[in-house]
Amino acid sequence: MSILLLVAPVHPQEAEAVADDALMGLWDRAQAQGEDLVWRACADIEQVTDCLAGREAASVDLVLLDVDADAIPEGQVAPLRRALNALSVPLIEIHADSRAGDLATISPAHPSLVSVTTPGNPAAGYEMALSIGLRYLARNRQLAA
């Protein structure tokens, strides 16, 4: 597995719509570039934290993360910060709301490569983040060869 896309439960109806309409297209694009893409729609921030701290995130090359830092309950900030700080791979943030808080406010020790914001259009955000991620991975692999 090389790319993990984690979606927080802030706007579950948007995540479902994107999953139904665009997930296969995202997966196809990743496959066409020789990359695997795994989508996880998380039920809550605790599940996002568990995914980031688990084996799945440890086995990827890149994480795409749709989480609004301002929507994280106070009691879950510290565990999420620990999971982000321990993450050994780059991270790209995705926001469908221009007022969403960046995760750098929670985890300045592991800032994202880029924060993609597409107000009102989560599908475009996922598409853009994947494009950036695929380019990043291809470039890194090219440099490593």
Side-chain angles (χ1 to χ4, degrees):
M1 173 176 13
S2 55
I3 301 173
L4 176 62
L5 173 53
L6 291 175
V7 180
V10 178
H11 305 288
Q13 67 282 4
E14 288 178 4
E16 287 177 24
V18 171
D20 291 343
D21 296 340
L23 179 56
M24 197 52 140
L26 295 174
W27 186 83
D28 285 343
R29 283 198 56 222
Q31 289 291 305
Q33 295 292 316
E35 305 291 345
D36 287 328
L37 174 69
V38 174
W39 169 286
R40 295 286 177 255
C42 299
D44 52 32
I45 297 299
E46 185 176 346
Q47 190 175 22
V48 170
T49 300
D50 290 346
C51 284
L52 287 170
R55 282 187 299 166
E56 197 166 47
S59 67
V60 299
D61 300 310
L62 179 68
V63 173
L64 308 179
L65 185 57
D66 181 359
V67 172
D68 177 358
D70 298 335
I72 299 169
E74 185 62 36
Q76 294 179 5
V77 170
L80 181 60
R81 179 181 299 118
R82 283 191 297 275
L84 288 168
N85 288 344
L87 196 60
S88 63
V89 298
L91 164 70
I92 294 176
E93 285 186 63
I94 305 164
H95 301 288
D97 184 342
S98 59
R99 297 167 298 181
D102 278 349
L103 290 172
T105 60
I106 289 176
S107 179
H110 193 315
S112 59
L113 291 173
V114 66
S115 183
V116 174
T117 305
T118 54
N121 192 345
Y126 296 139
E127 182 72 31
M128 189 178 298
L130 180 62
S131 293
I132 294 167
L134 289 171
R135 191 173 310 134
Y136 173 83
L137 291 174
R139 179 73 177 146
N140 277 359
R141 289 197 174 106
Q142 185 179 38
L143 291 173

